Amino acid sequence: MPTSCSFPCQRSWISYHPSSINLRSHRFVVASSAAAGMELSLTRPDDWHLHLREGELLHAVASHSARQFGRAIVMPNLKPPITTTEAAVAYRQSILKALPEGSVFDPLMTLYLTDNTSPEEIKLARQSGVVFAVKLYPAGATTNSQDGVTDIFGKCIPVLEEMAKHNMPLLVHGEVTDPSVDIFDREKVFIETILEPLLKKLPHLKIVMEHITTMEAVKFIESCSEGSVAATVTPQHLILNRNSLFQGGLQPHNYCLPVLKREIHREAIVSAVTSGSNRYFLGTDSAPHERRRKECTCGCAGIYNAPVALSLYAKVFEQAGSLDKLEAFTSFNGPDFYGLPRNTSKIKLRKSSWKVPVSYPYEHGEIVPMFAGETLEWLPSNN
Ligand code: DOR
Ligand code: ZN
């Protein structure tokens, strides 16, 4: 029976100091700074890591991403997972059907890597024109990863060689699953025991380390050759630290995997991303679960951040005095890495307060977004 926490919960923003904003540094992206509030005009962003789900959940969330983003790399961890190009093409059709009328949102599909994925499947994926990457879930690492890879060096080298040939990126959920490794160390150990040896073996494989959470990941990304290895970064790993899981009571809506880390890790990621390096790009990892699957005795991992992500990224860059670097992170670095054109349309971000809905109801449930009921400052709009 699902239960919910009635403890009066404190929020746990890392505090921001608007007085530290350096207005001079972001002059060229400011569309207007009238008294009503500053306005940024950005090339339309893409989301390079998104969970859209299927069925009712897909219909409940698709428009939130489609309104703001031009494209998204869509994660394949459905039940059953998207392991073939044929399944990816069918899934793409169901996403297109769930979009609001007139939407030009372009879902970029991925395949779910298993011990049995064949090199032939990679050829089909490349030929399809709709599959853009392959996702590595170590078996048991996260939601719907039970069909993931059990032994990458023993089972997957031929398929990874084929991907390198086709310039098809490997998207990595970078955590070991060994239960003897502390959950807060799983990313660091994955880098040492899997990623570094893998790159030595296959130096031409393009890799995106997804949703990085540690200073070790930043160090690893910086050590790799530019354009060959990159990272996506989520709003939650830029804004929250692991205290947010426990502040004022257990906070299931802040639980995601990889789990939030210490403040020093958050700070390292913020510095890396706001430095303007093109090795990092926007990937929300927005991962909706029905409320009862979050607020229960064995709550699912995943934060639903699609409606708030752009506001939060803007806040992080503003706080760092780096609003001039925001557009490259949201809209340039991703397509450049994937070898795709940048979007041509624009969106606006207005510096005006807006209240995040407490939940998004749909026919048989509801989804609680990140910062539900809170007031945020940057409001995205299409005109
Ligand atoms: O928190 C997460 N949720 N991390 C993942 O890796 C998967 C995702 C999901 O699908 O819910
Ligand atoms: Zn994910």
Side-chain angles (χ1 to χ4, degrees):
M1 183 66 180
T3 51
S4 69
C5 167
S6 60
F7 196 90
C9 297
Q10 267 171 266
R11 288 293 173 178
S12 51
W13 282 89
I14 305 304
S15 63
Y16 284 94
H17 308 285
S19 58
S20 70
I21 300 167
N22 176 357
L23 281 170
R24 264 191 305 265
S25 71
H26 56 80
R27 206 175 332 169
F28 73 92
V29 289
V30 174
S32 116
S33 57
M38 188 163 42
E39 190 174 279
L40 307 179
S41 173
L42 299 180
T43 298
R44 185 172 298 281
D46 301 303
D47 185 346
W48 299 95
H49 185 132
L50 176 64
H51 296 268
L52 280 175
R53 313 300 193 202
E54 55 194 326
E56 269 193 24
L57 259 187
L58 166 62
H59 281 84
V61 301
S63 67
H64 298 158
S65 293
R67 261 205 305 268
Q68 305 178 42
F69 297 99
R71 296 163 285 196
I73 283 276
V74 180
M75 289 297 128
N77 61 333
L78 304 187
K79 262 188 190 163
I82 304 295
T83 55
T84 64
T85 302
E86 197 185 348
V89 169
Y91 182 30
R92 183 168 187 274
Q93 284 310 315
S94 65
I95 295 168
L96 293 177
K97 277 200 201 131
L99 295 177
E101 185 116 344
S103 172
V104 292
F105 179 76
D106 187 6
L108 310 176
M109 308 312 290
T110 59
L111 294 189
Y112 183 113
L113 187 67
T114 71
D115 289 347
N116 304 315
T117 307
S118 68
E120 192 51 39
E121 197 60 59
I122 302 303
K123 287 196 189 92
L124 293 174
R126 194 35 108 202
Q127 282 160 14
S128 74
V130 301
V131 175
F132 289 84
V134 176
K135 178 73 188 278
L136 163 63
Y137 288 104
T142 187
T143 311
N144 296 345
S145 63
Q146 57 280 0
D147 300 308
V149 170
T150 62
D151 175 9
I152 191 160
F153 293 105
K155 312 267 191 190
C156 299
I157 296 303
V159 79
L160 297 177
E161 280 168 344
E162 190 68 23
M163 286 168 57
K165 235 196 263 171
H166 292 273
N167 225 12
M168 174 80 78
L170 178 71
L171 314 183
V172 174
H173 183 109
E175 289 190 290
V176 293
T177 55
D178 179 347
S180 70
V181 177
D182 189 278
I183 193 164
F184 294 100
D185 295 332
R186 287 183 183 180
E187 184 172 277
K188 174 178 179 286
V189 175
F190 185 90
I191 292 167
E192 292 159 1
T193 59
I194 309 284
L195 267 186
E196 287 175 346
L198 185 64
L199 264 180
K200 279 213 178 88
K201 201 169 175 67
L202 298 171
H204 300 299
L205 181 63
K206 261 178 112 111
I207 292 180
V208 182
M209 193 173 177
E210 300 291 334
H211 41 54
I212 58 167
T213 65
T214 57
M215 59 169 71
E216 288 82 8
V218 168
K219 216 162 143 195
F220 167 73
I221 296 293
E222 304 283 338
S223 75
C224 295
S225 76
E226 205 178 287
S228 172
V229 179
T232 55
V233 184
T234 74
Q236 56 266 27
H237 294 110
L238 288 168
I239 293 241
L240 304 176
N241 65 33
R242 66 189 195 174
N243 290 344
S244 312
L245 289 164
F246 309 111
Q247 200 116 27
L250 199 57
Q251 301 287 338
H253 297 289
N254 288 340
Y255 172 52
C256 64
L257 287 170
V259 73
L260 297 168
K261 304 294 192 301
R262 283 178 185 275
E263 175 63 4
I264 44 168
H265 294 291
R266 189 194 71 82
E267 285 168 2
I269 299 168
V270 169
S271 307
V273 163
T274 59
S275 72
S277 164
N278 62 5
R279 297 167 192 265
Y280 306 95
F281 40 85
L282 185 161
T284 62
D285 198 14
S286 183
H289 291 276
E290 208 276 308
R291 176 178 209 135
R292 283 165 299 195
R293 291 182 169 273
K294 294 287 292 173
E295 299 176 4
C296 59
T297 48
C298 185
C300 295
I303 295 180
Y304 185 55
N305 63 28
V308 297
L310 285 178
S311 299
L312 297 177
Y313 286 123
K315 183 153 192 141
V316 169
F317 279 75
E318 177 186 46
Q319 162 67 15
S322 303
L323 274 177
D324 60 327
K325 312 260 174 34
L326 176 65
E327 188 179 34
F329 174 77
T330 60
S331 317
F332 299 161
N333 300 346
D336 294 358
F337 181 86
Y338 275 83
L340 293 171
R342 296 173 180 179
N343 291 324
T344 49
S345 66
K346 302 262 178 196
I347 60 153
K348 285 190 175 141
L349 278 174
R350 278 197 193 94
K351 186 92 194 271
S352 74
S353 300
W354 65 283
K355 201 158 179 231
V356 182
V358 290
S359 80
Y360 293 96
Y362 59 95
E363 200 180 347
H364 293 106
E366 59 181 328
I367 307 157
V368 177
M370 187 179 179
F371 288 118
E374 302 281 317
T375 299
L376 299 183
E377 288 204 315
W378 290 96
L379 179 65
S381 80
N382 281 308
N383 44 51

